[in-house]
């Protein structure tokens, strides 16, 4: 247990000091840490799942507090909680199935989208029902907890001893699958490149996203020939890195400035970008500058495609107060402190310098500007995102801060 | 026993050698953090709390330094505590720094240390530093990455064992008006070799009144290229090799890191130790040296230049704050503040946890600590208010520092630059004058302007105070009523505390280092003074250049164009002229003037011909400066001066060559600097002949020499043709 605590505080401090950044990296590390937490967790004989949920949530809260801007941390924590709840419920399904809960028809079409661990856990997809319903009717959390207590105490109590170990091993398996998914999500996304990128097309992207790079490279490998415009993505100019990488792969790339996107957009067939997080309403949190690009694409009716993996799906809405949507980064990325050191002198005459630098990291792009999401589990329209989220997260975990400690 | 020891040592040495290449890379990086600045700039606050624990944007300073050290990959930090060591150690023990994985903080405590030099000597004795280390003081804020600087340092060290230190510098333009950097430190002059980045010269106490700095000639002679900077800021972050500690031990008189150690190493070429610089560009580093830099660095932090060490990031045990948008810019807030609806909190303000703000109060560009109570109609501008301060209705605070537990009664006003130390009470409607410092403790009476002594006083004074403080506090508790009675008139009704008198000579400089911005009138005053200075300098330069030309020409005619001697002769001539003018003004006896000129001649290693030329030049200059209306009057003046001073001139005219020199000099003057003489050339030549200063041989030889010269050179020969003719005839007759 102290071992785990050290690991947790280590990751927390890394997040806090902004040494781990980017949704992919944070998601992977969080999932690995949570896996260790589950592995080390000593379960009480009764109520194993509840105490496990509690432990994971506690760790999750620490990590989320460490850097609230990295939404991927919260996503993974909630997803793991969701897995635990499901694994906890799955033995129940037999019993519940006998009790004849209906509405199976509704669920069947979703079952095919489900991850393998879920379909292996259940035969008829009945387990999908509670989270789905609750996500749609969010004002019903009471029934959820009722269901929870009902399940764990009354029916499940007798089998607790036997199933505790089974639960844990199932969980470890499921979480390992999750880690595996995170590691392979890029390939999943890249597989769809052929369907979206056509011969002799012109693609525009902004900044540098690993997903976009893999996506483009996958199309190239299948002998598609196309051109890529790269907006360089001020102030970090990561577009230059992408240009270099594409050049190595033999792709024709043209670097433009961010401010030239509107001029170029009319020649472009499709915009493909990577994002920081996908919100529950289908909007995205993306590197600064994307909103302008999205508006330009809308104006010229150019498809605006977002590539995102499932761990970037965030169950929060952009209007939630708990979400820290933006981070103000260091002004020295924009301005050279040395050159302006005489302008930023507060000591002379007027107390405050007149020169200020604001360097936000992210933009929010509303869902109506987005044409398509390409995820590792397929392509979706923005209006479908809330359904995906319901598949991935339990409503009980939604705003973790507001949840009273149970 | 002995043999055993030897073997062990040999084994250790062998191990060290074998490990060496990767050892350098693998060895955990150590750091020495001096939790004492050994100065008194932050008095009176530092009498009660060590500087490193003073809150900087609501976080004790030392946290910024430790957080940076940790992020920079330092594995072990030795915190050296001296003044108020107990407070520092207690703080660190209760903080999370002691429980960090991969980051150990150890404290070293000592009470009788009076300087950074002593501290390093003590650390050397303890033998805890094994490799390269970072030397930093606990009041430094930075976000730079050490990797590159460390790499450079190690590579240099491998090549050259004498490269003992790498100093981090950053470009920052000093203000041309105040001659100080934005951090309120004096303008710093550095000479750096642009190729190797070696530091060759370091001067932080240059005399600005002259507008010049003097460099050693050797500096220019020995280095193929050298770049001089006045726009570099010393970040006070040094990467040192272990030799630095032993150097401090060897030179037991080194006290100050820069003034003694750096300058000492630069001057001492026997050991050949070298200091190099590493310039950082995009990252931030600054040391809080005085109240001004406290203000500036706080504002830099709020404006996020120190990212990720900013208020809304939880980089140490601090409570993270939330940013809220105010207009375009951002204000950091804690969620649990009680703010009246009508209160206006402006941008770039940080407000601590649990603070209450009353109605119609205006706050801008300020930092307010935790648990403060601010009444209504209060105006706070550019101020730093620490924890648990009570400010009653209608107070005004502009550019001040208010420490913990201060109470300001209704209507009190703090003028810019005021510092209120802990628990001071300001009476109702009392106006604290600008730049005053108020403390519960009385001002220590010892004041020595001598710098060395200042060190001694400072720390011993501080230590004394810290020991007394305990009792003082207790007695204060009981005596507050009495003392407040006694000092009622000083801080208004109900006021508690002493206003420290500003030490003599300090008043003038107070505005330089204060939290308050430099007032407008001071700036105009300074810029006017500077303009005057510049005029003076340019005047000097023109004077220099003309006389310089004169000399160089005369030297050229002698076929002597050695640069050095030309320079010397310019100075020599100037000195002679000055001596002569003084002699004229003060009626000095001719013999004495001769003596003085002779001594000048010896010191500049000049010939008597040079003396004659210089003396004659000064005489003619005097003549032309004497007011005159016509040419004849000028001639009369010249004649008078020559008559008065002929003895002086004659004493240098030992041979005919000197006399010719005088004629040449005169000719030159007529052509260039004193054209008024040109019509009078022949006449003055005659006067000189009459007074027996010039002999006919000299004049004739001069005429002969000129025979073969260009037409343009013959102007004066022709002018005095008659006179020469007459001389020739006279000499023939004699024959």
């Amino acid at each position: 247990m102290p071992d785990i605590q050290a690991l947790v505080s280590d990751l927390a401090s890394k997040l806090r000091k902004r040494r781990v950044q980017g949704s992919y990296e944070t998601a992977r590390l969080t999932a690995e840490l949570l896996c260790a937490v589950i592995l080390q967790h000593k379960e009480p004989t009764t109520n194993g799942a509840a105490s496990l949920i509690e432990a994971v949530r506690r760790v999750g809260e620490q990590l989320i507090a460490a850097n609230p801007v990295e939404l991927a941390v919260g996503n993974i924590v909630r997803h793991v909680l969701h897995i635990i709840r499901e694994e906890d419920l799955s033995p129940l399904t037999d019993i519940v199935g006998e009790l004849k809960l209906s509405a199976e028809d509704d669920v069947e079409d979703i079952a095919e989208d489900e991850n393998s661990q879920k379909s292996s856990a259940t035969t008829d997809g009945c387990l999908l029902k509670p989270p789905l319903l609750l996500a749609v009717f969010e004002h019903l959390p009471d029934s959820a907890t009722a269901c929870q207590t009902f399940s764990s105490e009354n029916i499940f109590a007798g089998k607790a001893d036997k199933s505790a170990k089974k639960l844990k091993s199932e969980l470890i398996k499921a979480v390992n699958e999750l880690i595996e998914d995170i590691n392979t999500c890029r390939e999943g996304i890249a597989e769809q490149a052929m369907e979206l990128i056509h011969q002799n097309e012109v693609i525009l992207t902004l900044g540098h996203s690993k997903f976009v790079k893999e996506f483009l490279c996958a199309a190239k490998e299948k002998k598609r020939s196309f051109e890529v415009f790269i907006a360089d993505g001020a102030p970090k100019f990561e577009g230059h890195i992408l240009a270099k990488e594409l050049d190595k792969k033999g792709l024709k790339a043209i670097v433009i400035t961010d401010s030239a996107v509107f001029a170029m957009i009319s020649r472009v067939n499709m915009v493909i970008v990577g994002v920081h997080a996908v919100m529950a309403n289908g909007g995205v949190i993306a590197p600064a500058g994307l909103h302008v690009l999205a508006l330009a694409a809308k104006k010229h009716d150019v498809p605006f495609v977002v590539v995102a993996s499932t761990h970037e799906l965030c169950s929060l809405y952009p209007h939630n107060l708990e979400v820290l949507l933006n981070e103000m980064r260091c002004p020295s990325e924009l301005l050279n402190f040395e050159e302006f050191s005489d302008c930023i002198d507060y000591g002379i005459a007027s107390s405050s310098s007149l020169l200020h630098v604001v360097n936000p990291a992210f933009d929010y792009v509303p869902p109506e500007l987005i044409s398509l999401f390409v995820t590792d589990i397929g392509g979706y329209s923005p209006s479908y995102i809330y359904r995906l989220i319901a598949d991935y997260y339990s409503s009980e975990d939604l705003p973790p801060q507001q949840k009273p400690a149970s | 026993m002995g043999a055993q020891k030897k073997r062990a040592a040999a084994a250790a040495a062998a191990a060290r050698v074998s490990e060496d290449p990767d050892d350098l890379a693998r060895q955990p990086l150590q750091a020495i953090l001096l939790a004492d600045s050994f100065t008194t700039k932050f008095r009176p606050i530092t009498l009660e709390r060590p500087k490193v624990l003073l809150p900087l944007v609501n976080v004790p300073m030392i946290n910024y330094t430790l957080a940076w050290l940790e992020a920079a990959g330092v594995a072990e930090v030795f915190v050296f505590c001296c003044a108020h060591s107990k407070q520092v150690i207690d703080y660190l023990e209760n903080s999370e720094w002691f429980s960090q994985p991969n980051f150990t903080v150890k404290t070293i405590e000592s009470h009788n240390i009076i300087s950074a030099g002593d501290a390093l000597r003590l650390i050397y004795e303890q033998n805890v530093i094994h490799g390269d280390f970072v030397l930093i003081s606990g009041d430094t804020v930075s976000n730079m990455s050490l990797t590159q600087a460390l790499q450079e340092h190690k590579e240099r060290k491998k090549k050259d064992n004498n490269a003992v230190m790498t100093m981090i510098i950053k470009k920052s333009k000093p203000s041309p008006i105040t001659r100080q950097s934005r951090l309120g430190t004096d303008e710093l002059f550095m000479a750096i070799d642009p190729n190797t980045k070696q530091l060759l010269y370091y001067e932080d106490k240059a005399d600005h009144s002259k507008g010049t700095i003097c460099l050693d000639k050797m500096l220019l002679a020995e280095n193929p290229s050298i770049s001089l900077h006045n726009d570099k800021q010393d970040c006070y972050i040094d990467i040192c090799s272990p030799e630095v500690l032993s150097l401090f031990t060897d030179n037991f008189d080194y006290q100050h890191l820069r003034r003694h150690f750096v300058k000492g190493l630069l001057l001492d070429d026997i050991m050949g130790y070298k200091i190099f610089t590493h310039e950082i560009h995009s990252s931030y580093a600054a040391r809080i040296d005085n109240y001004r830099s406290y203000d500036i660095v706080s504002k830099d932090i709020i404006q996020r230049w120190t990212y990720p060490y900013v208020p809304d990031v939880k980089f140490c045990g601090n409570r993270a704050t939330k940013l809220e948008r105010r207009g375009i810019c951002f204000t950091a807030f804690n969620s649990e503040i009680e703010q009246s609806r009508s209160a206006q909190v402006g941008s770039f303000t940080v407000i601590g946890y649990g603070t209450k703000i009353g109605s119609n109060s205006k706050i801008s560009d300020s930092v307010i600590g935790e648990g403060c109570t601010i009444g209504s109609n209060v105006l706070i501008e550019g101020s730093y208010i620490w924890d648990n301060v009570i400010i009653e209705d209608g107070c005004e605070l502009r550019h001040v520092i208010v420490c913990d537990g201060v109470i300001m009664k209704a209507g009190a006003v703090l003028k810019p630059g005021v510092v209120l130390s802990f628990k001071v009470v300001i009476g109702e409607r009392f106006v604290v004058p600008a730049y005053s410092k108020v403390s519960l403790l009385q001002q220590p009476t010892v004041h020595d302007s001598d710098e060395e002594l200042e060190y001694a006083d400072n720390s011993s004074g501080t230590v004394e105070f810290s020991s007394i403080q305990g009792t003082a506090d207790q007695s204060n508790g009981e005596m507050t009523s009495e003392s407040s009675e006694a000092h009622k008139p000083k801080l208004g009704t109900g006021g508690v505390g002493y206003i420290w008198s500003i030490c003599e000579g300090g008043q003038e400089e107070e505005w330089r280092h204060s939290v308050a911005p430099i007032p407008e009138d001071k700036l105009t005053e300074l810029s006017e003074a500077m303009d005057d200075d510049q005029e003076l300098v340019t005047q000097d330069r023109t004077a220099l250049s003309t006389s310089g030309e004169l000399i160089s020409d005369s030297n050229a005619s002698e076929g002597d164009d050695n640069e050095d001697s030309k320079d010397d002769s310019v100075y020599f001539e100037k000195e002679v002229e000055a001596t002569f003018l003084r002699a004229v003004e003060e009626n000095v006896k001719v013999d004495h003037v001769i003596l003085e000129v002779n001594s000048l001649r010896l010191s500049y290693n000049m010939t008597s011909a040079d003396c004659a030329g210089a003396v004659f030049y000064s005489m003619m200059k005097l003549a032309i400066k004497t007011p005159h209306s016509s040419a004849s009057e000028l001639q009369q003046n010249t004649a008078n001066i020559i008559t008065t001073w002929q003895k002086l001139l004659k004493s240098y005219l030992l041979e005919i060559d000197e006399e010719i020199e005088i004629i040449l000099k005169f000719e030159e003057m007529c052509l260039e600097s004193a054209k008024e003489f040109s019509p009078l050339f022949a006449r003055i030549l005659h006067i000189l002949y009459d007074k027996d200063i010039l002999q006919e041989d000299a004049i004739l030889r001069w005429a002969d020499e000129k025979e073969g010269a260009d037409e343009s050179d013959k102007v004066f020969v022709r002018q005095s043709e008659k006179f020469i003719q007459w001389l020739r005839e006279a000499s023939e007759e004699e024959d």
Side-chain angles (χ1 to χ4, degrees), chain B residues 12 39 81 196 233 252 258 282 287 315 333 357 404 417 469 481 486 507 517 621 643 648 669-670 698 731:
Chain B
T39 56
C81 317
T196 62
Q233 170 198 325
F252 52 85
R258 293 289 184 259
S282 59
R287 184 180 167 207
F315 59 88
F333 263 101
I357 303 169
D404 290 5
Q469 198 204 325
S481 51
Q507 183 112 44
K621 258 217 144 154
T643 331
L648 171 66
M669 279 181 82
C670 292
S731 66

Side-chain angles (χ1 to χ4, degrees), chain A residues 300-375:
Chain A
H300 286 268
D301 285 328
V302 176
F304 188 87
V305 177
V306 170
V307 287
S309 80
T310 39
H311 64 254
E312 283 172 335
L313 286 180
C314 183
S315 55
L316 302 168
Y317 286 85
H319 57 256
N320 279 19
L321 277 177
E322 293 78 26
V323 195
L324 189 55
L325 287 182
N326 219 335
E327 174 155 50
M328 309 310 284
R329 298 185 58 86
C330 186
S332 64
E333 285 174 1
L334 264 81
L335 273 197
N336 193 343
F337 184 79
E338 305 165 343
E339 293 308 315
F340 288 84
S341 60
D342 43 349
C343 306
I344 319 168
D345 193 342
Y346 327 97
I348 306 283
S350 66
S351 67
S352 56
S353 91
L354 299 171
L355 179 75
H356 300 309
V357 184
V358 179
N359 181 14
F362 303 119
D363 256 355
Y364 168 68
V365 183
E368 54 272 22
L369 298 180
I370 297 164
S371 322
L372 182 70
F373 282 99
V374 177
T375 71

Side-chain angles (χ1 to χ4, degrees), chain B residues 606-624:
Chain B
M606 292 291 169
T607 61
S608 60
D610 291 320
C611 293
V615 169
F616 180 71
Y617 174 79
S618 348
M619 284 164 72
M620 297 316 270
K621 258 217 144 154
L622 177 66
I624 212 165

Side-chain angles (χ1 to χ4, degrees), chain B residues 550 557 616-617 620 659-675 677-678 681 684-685 688 702-703 705-707 709-720:
Chain B
L550 263 175
S557 68
F616 180 71
Y617 174 79
M620 297 316 270
E659 291 172 27
I660 295 172
E661 165 76 25
I662 284 192
I663 304 173
L664 288 170
K665 183 110 216 172
F666 186 38
E667 201 181 4
E668 204 179 274
M669 279 181 82
C670 292
L671 280 172
E672 279 153 14
S673 59
K675 289 206 171 108
F677 278 123
S678 45
F681 184 84
I684 290 172
L685 204 62
L688 290 169
W702 167 68
E705 260 177 41
K706 285 279 168 181
E707 206 75 346
D710 291 343
E711 278 303 301
S712 58
D713 273 358
K714 280 188 185 167
V715 184
F716 295 107
V717 181
R718 212 164 287 148
Q719 198 189 359
S720 41

Side-chain angles (χ1 to χ4, degrees), chain B residues 293-350:
Chain B
S293 40
Y294 179 85
D295 174 50
I296 301 283
V297 173
S298 298
K299 281 177 174 150
D300 285 340
I301 291 171
I302 297 171
Q303 299 211 0
R304 310 180 74 79
W305 290 99
T306 59
Y307 184 91
Y309 309 115
V310 288
D312 58 316
V313 174
K314 209 166 154 267
F315 59 88
C316 64
N318 59 334
R319 290 196 177 103
T321 46
K322 252 188 179 176
L323 287 185
E324 246 176 61
R325 198 192 281 249
R326 297 275 151 149
I328 289 177
C329 300
F330 288 81
T331 296
F333 263 101
N334 271 313
S335 36
E336 286 89 356
I337 63 166
E338 282 177 39
Q339 185 192 344
S340 156
R341 252 167 209 286
S342 54
Q344 297 174 21
V345 178
S347 56
F348 297 115
T349 300
V350 175

Side-chain angles (χ1 to χ4, degrees), chain B residues 568-679:
Chain B
D568 275 358
S569 58
V570 171
Y571 284 122
F572 173 68
E573 200 155 293
K574 288 217 88 164
E575 295 249 353
V576 170
E577 194 187 338
T579 314
F580 179 73
L581 287 177
R582 192 160 40 81
V584 173
E585 271 170 31
E586 294 169 12
N587 275 328
V588 181
K589 274 191 193 159
V590 176
D591 291 342
H592 292 180
V593 182
I594 293 173
L595 206 64
E596 278 192 41
V597 174
N598 273 340
S599 68
L600 278 175
R601 174 189 157 188
L602 287 175
S603 65
Y604 281 91
N605 196 17
M606 292 291 169
T607 61
S608 60
D610 291 320
C611 293
V615 169
F616 180 71
Y617 174 79
S618 348
M619 284 164 72
M620 297 316 270
K621 258 217 144 154
L622 177 66
I624 212 165
K625 269 185 196 157
T626 335
H628 54 267
S629 51
S630 64
S632 58
E633 211 172 312
L634 177 63
Q635 189 191 338
Q636 191 54 43
N637 284 342
T638 320
N640 286 345
I641 289 167
I642 291 174
T643 331
T644 335
W645 298 99
Q646 53 179 312
K647 195 180 167 200
L648 171 66
L649 199 51
K650 269 187 197 161
S651 63
Y652 296 103
L653 302 174
L654 305 173
E655 290 186 37
I656 208 156
D657 285 346
E658 279 102 56
E659 291 172 27
I660 295 172
E661 165 76 25
I662 284 192
I663 304 173
L664 288 170
K665 183 110 216 172
F666 186 38
E667 201 181 4
E668 204 179 274
M669 279 181 82
C670 292
L671 280 172
E672 279 153 14
S673 59
K675 289 206 171 108
E676 268 181 88
F677 278 123
S678 45

Side-chain angles (χ1 to χ4, degrees), chain A residues 191-211:
Chain A
E191 270 169 22
Q192 301 160 63
M194 286 301 281
E195 297 157 28
L196 287 159
I197 299 177
H198 305 109
Q199 195 69 17
N200 293 329
E201 270 192 341
V202 180
I203 312 284
L204 173 64
T205 185
L206 184 141
H208 178 256
S209 155
K210 288 196 185 80
F211 293 145

Side-chain angles (χ1 to χ4, degrees), chain A residues 169-302:
Chain A
S169 67
E170 286 292 320
L171 274 179
I172 300 291
K173 219 167 93 191
V175 175
N176 275 331
E177 269 169 41
L178 171 68
I179 295 171
E180 187 60 27
D181 278 352
I182 294 171
N183 285 330
T184 58
C185 64
R186 283 188 224 167
E187 287 95 74
I189 293 171
E191 270 169 22
Q192 301 160 63
M194 286 301 281
E195 297 157 28
L196 287 159
I197 299 177
H198 305 109
Q199 195 69 17
N200 293 329
E201 270 192 341
V202 180
I203 312 284
L204 173 64
T205 185
L206 184 141
H208 178 256
S209 155
K210 288 196 185 80
F211 293 145
V212 172
K213 188 200 120 196
E214 299 271 325
F215 195 75
L216 295 174
C217 290
K220 175 70 192 171
E221 271 157 25
K222 302 257 171 66
K223 306 284 179 238
R224 277 279 144 82
S225 86
F226 55 96
E227 266 177 38
V228 184
F229 276 112
I230 303 171
D232 53 10
K236 284 176 151 182
F237 300 108
E238 284 177 321
H240 301 171
I241 303 169
L242 180 64
K244 244 182 222 170
E245 285 171 349
L246 291 187
D247 182 66
K248 267 182 208 146
K249 298 272 176 184
L251 254 167
K252 193 173 174 190
I254 298 155
V255 177
I256 58 170
T257 60
D258 292 351
S259 38
V261 289
F262 194 85
M264 290 295 171
I265 199 83
S266 54
R267 301 203 214 161
V268 169
N269 298 98
M270 180 166 57
V271 177
I272 301 179
V273 290
V275 295
H276 175 69
V278 180
M279 305 311 280
N281 65 345
V284 294
I285 308 281
L290 265 194
H291 197 171
V292 176
L293 179 55
L295 284 170
K298 187 83 182 170
K299 172 90 180 162
H300 286 268
D301 285 328
V302 176

